[in-house]
């Protein structure tokens, strides 16, 4: 399965300052990590942006997703990263955990130099960069991230493996493009005006999400209907998997994942935790 999470570029529109905006994005990054998202997409909502737009949101989320031991190599000093010290650690499990199928632990490295005879120098959190042989079926370039399996640290024994990068990818693309990906799966728009999520329909929904899903969220004070210019009455009238009107970019379902909310406004990061916790529940047959 592939789980994609979509957030707008206006995500931090109500933050009082850059420090608070960065902290908020840290919670978003945590939610994507906790629920094992494969992709975190920032889609444009330029009308809703204030002091910090899509470039700021994307940069901070990319920085948060970068393993701590690679951040100095990947990122230089940038204004957008002035307060990244407030970001919570992600502690992505697969970054340091062992793979039961093969000895050693997986981590990420960055290629700092491409040498002759298929060898490259890689920085991967050890005391010094190491020289490794690139597998014959792979091609790597300087600056590219690679997955490293470390079987021993003293002496160092490691190799590059053709394995998925741990954690999630961050990208920026239009909403329609993200929804049109071949691996989009069931495409869910979260909105308080959507169909209320109930226990009766949860089993079927979680089975479909387990096969792949794209889940989109709105911004503070500016939900998906406002961002897309869709009348809330049309969303509320769409019972089941019906497109509210021609402005819909391709969602399969408008869903209210917090039907009994006790606050007038649910923050985006709160909605992410509440929604993904429910939608990613395993079925009894798994």
């Amino acid at each position: 399965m592939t789980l994609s999470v979509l957030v707008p570029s206006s995500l931090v529109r109500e933050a009082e300052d850059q420090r608070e905006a960065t902290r908020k994005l840290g919670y978003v990054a945590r939610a994507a990590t906790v629920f094992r998202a494969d992709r975190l997409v920032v889609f444009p909502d330029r009308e809703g942006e204030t002091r910090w737009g899509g470039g700021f949101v994307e940069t901070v989320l990319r920085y948060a997703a970068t393993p701590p031991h690679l951040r100095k190599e990947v990122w230089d000093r940038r204004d957008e990263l002035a307060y990244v010290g407030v970001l919570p650690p992600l502690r992505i499990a697969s970054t340091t955990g062992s793979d039961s199928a093969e000895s050693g632990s997986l981590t990420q490295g960055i290629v700092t130099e491409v040498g002759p005879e298929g060898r490259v120098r890689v920085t991967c959190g050890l005391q010094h960069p190491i020289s490794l042989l690139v597998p014959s079926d792979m091609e790597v370039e300087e600056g590219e991230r690679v997955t490293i399996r470390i079987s021993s640290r003293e002496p160092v024994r490691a190799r590059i493996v053709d394995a998925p990068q741990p954690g999630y990818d961050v990208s920026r693309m239009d909403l329609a493009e993200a929804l049109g990906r071949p691996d989009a799966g069931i495409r869910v728009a979260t909105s308080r005006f959507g169909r209320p999520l109930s226990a009766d329909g949860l089993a079927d929904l979680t089975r479909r999400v387990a096969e792949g899903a794209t889940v989109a969220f709105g911004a503070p004070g500016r939900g998906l209907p406002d961002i897309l210019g869709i009348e809330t009455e049309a969303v509320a009238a769409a019972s089941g998997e019906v497109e509210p009107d021609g402005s819909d970019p391709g969602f399969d379902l408008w869903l209210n994942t917090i039907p009994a909310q006790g606050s007038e406004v649910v923050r985006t990061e709160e909605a992410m935790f509440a929604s993904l916790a429910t939608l990613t529940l395993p079925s009894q047959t798994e």
Side-chain angles (χ1 to χ4, degrees):
M1 63 160 285
T2 298
L3 176 60
S4 299
V5 177
L6 280 50
V7 295
S9 60
S10 55
L11 180 61
V12 293
R13 64 194 304 266
E14 293 185 353
E16 294 182 359
D17 52 37
Q18 187 174 339
R19 181 187 182 91
E20 181 58 30
T22 302
R23 189 189 304 276
K24 181 184 182 74
L25 291 173
Y27 297 142
V28 170
R30 282 286 299 172
T33 301
V34 168
F35 298 104
R36 295 183 178 273
D38 300 286
R39 186 180 299 118
L40 185 54
V41 175
V42 180
F43 64 88
D45 175 29
R46 295 182 179 87
E47 292 185 13
E49 294 176 7
T50 53
R51 288 171 289 177
W52 306 285
F56 172 81
V57 172
E58 182 187 9
T59 298
V60 175
L61 290 176
R62 283 186 181 274
Y63 180 91
T66 303
H69 66 275
L70 294 181
R71 285 174 177 171
K72 288 185 178 180
E73 293 287 341
V74 175
W75 298 96
D76 52 12
R77 298 181 65 88
R78 301 180 61 164
D79 292 341
E80 299 98 319
L81 305 178
Y83 294 99
V84 292
V86 304
L87 291 172
L90 301 187
R91 298 182 63 86
I92 298 174
S94 58
T95 300
T96 56
S98 296
D99 187 340
S100 59
E102 195 172 350
S103 62
S105 61
L106 294 178
T107 188
Q108 287 191 59
I110 184 169
V111 176
T112 57
E113 182 182 346
V114 177
E117 301 180 354
R119 301 193 71 86
V120 294
R121 291 187 66 81
V122 179
T123 297
C124 57
L126 299 176
Q127 186 174 3
H128 303 288
I130 56 177
S131 176
L132 297 175
L133 185 67
V134 179
S136 59
D137 57 345
M138 290 180 61
E139 293 184 4
V140 299
E141 299 177 354
E142 185 174 332
E144 184 175 347
R145 297 188 210 178
V146 291
T147 301
I148 308 294
R149 184 181 298 281
I150 300 176
S151 55
S152 172
R153 293 178 179 267
E154 289 188 15
V156 174
R157 294 191 181 93
R159 60 192 178 90
I160 299 174
V161 295
D162 188 7
Q165 296 287 329
Y168 56 87
D169 293 325
V170 179
S171 60
R172 191 187 334 181
M173 67 180 71
D174 291 338
L175 195 56
E177 181 183 357
L179 296 175
R181 293 180 62 96
D183 59 355
I186 181 172
R187 299 161 294 186
V188 179
T190 60
S191 170
R192 65 182 303 177
F193 302 102
R195 187 183 78 188
L197 179 62
S198 65
D200 293 338
L202 187 57
D204 178 65
L205 181 58
T206 54
R207 278 195 294 268
R208 296 185 63 183
V209 169
E211 297 173 356
T214 298
V215 186
F217 297 88
R222 187 172 168 83
L224 284 173
D226 289 337
I227 292 174
L228 298 173
I230 297 176
E231 296 293 332
T232 56
E233 293 81 2
V235 175
S239 60
E241 300 178 20
V242 180
E243 292 185 359
D245 65 18
S247 301
D248 191 297
F251 289 111
D252 297 312
L253 178 64
W254 285 79
L255 193 65
N256 180 359
T257 56
I258 315 174
Q261 67 184 59
S263 174
E264 293 182 1
V265 177
V266 176
R267 298 173 179 176
T268 304
E269 61 272 25
E270 296 169 338
M272 289 180 65
F273 277 101
S275 303
L276 297 176
T278 303
L279 295 175
T280 59
L281 283 172
S283 63
Q284 294 181 351
T285 57
E286 292 184 2

